[in-house]
Amino acid sequence: MCEANVYLLEDDGVKTLLLESVDRIIPQGENLYLENIFGERKTIKAQIAEMALVDHKIILKP
Amino acid sequence: MCEANVYLLEDDGVKTLLLESVDRIIPQGENLYLENIFGERKTIKAQIAEMALVDHKIILKP
């Protein structure tokens, strides 16, 4: 399957796994709505920093 | 492979294929840098409206 793992890039450069196997991402103003293939949902105040889909990786930043 | 096709949502609601098989997306200010698995690159002034990764679909809006 082609979902991606979403990480949050902290100020110290450390990437923390926020939600795995994310299928849907919908920007909502300053927030991002995340939904994964297990139906888990998160809304976080962050921006997309980079997406590398073949690597199943999406990096967010505060 | 898990790249996605990127579409631009026009004002009339029509979705136009902008670039297929996109692997990397990097927001650059008001622009989005797109790069696909064939090495083709595009930079466009647009925002992400919605991503549906399992469907290999990313919708942008002006």
Side-chain angles (χ1 to χ4, degrees), chain B residues 5-58:
Chain B
N5 296 325
V6 176
Y7 300 84
L8 185 63
L9 183 62
E10 311 280 7
D11 294 337
D12 57 8
V14 173
K15 291 180 186 125
T16 309
L17 180 64
L18 200 58
L19 190 62
E20 59 183 351
S21 305
V22 172
D23 171 27
R24 297 185 64 223
I25 296 180
I26 302 174
Q28 299 173 332
E30 289 185 338
N31 295 327
L32 289 172
Y33 167 83
L34 311 174
E35 183 176 319
N36 71 9
I37 58 172
F38 311 115
E40 296 166 332
R41 298 169 181 180
K42 271 192 181 176
T43 299
I44 179 170
K45 187 176 179 195
Q47 309 168 46
I48 294 171
E50 180 174 353
M51 299 168 45
L53 298 178
V54 171
D55 294 338
H56 305 278
K57 204 179 281 184
I58 295 173

Side-chain angles (χ1 to χ4, degrees), chain A residues 1-4 22-27 37 48-56 58 61, chain B residues 1-4 22-27 37 48-56 58 61:
Chain A
M1 294 277 279
C2 283
E3 63 283 2
V22 172
D23 172 27
R24 297 184 67 222
I25 297 180
I26 302 174
I37 57 172
I48 294 172
E50 179 173 353
M51 298 166 49
L53 298 177
V54 171
D55 294 337
H56 305 277
I58 294 173
K61 61 185 178 184
Chain B
M1 295 275 278
C2 285
E3 63 283 1
V22 172
D23 171 27
R24 297 185 64 223
I25 296 180
I26 302 174
I37 58 172
I48 294 171
E50 180 174 353
M51 299 168 45
L53 298 178
V54 171
D55 294 338
H56 305 278
I58 295 173
K61 62 185 177 185

Side-chain angles (χ1 to χ4, degrees), chain A residues 7-46:
Chain A
Y7 300 84
L8 185 63
L9 183 61
E10 310 280 5
D11 295 336
D12 57 8
V14 173
K15 290 179 188 124
T16 309
L17 179 64
L18 199 60
L19 191 62
E20 60 182 352
S21 305
V22 172
D23 172 27
R24 297 184 67 222
I25 297 180
I26 302 174
Q28 298 172 332
E30 289 185 338
N31 295 329
L32 289 173
Y33 167 84
L34 311 174
E35 184 176 318
N36 72 7
I37 57 172
F38 311 115
E40 297 166 332
R41 298 170 180 180
K42 272 193 181 176
T43 298
I44 179 169
K45 188 177 179 193

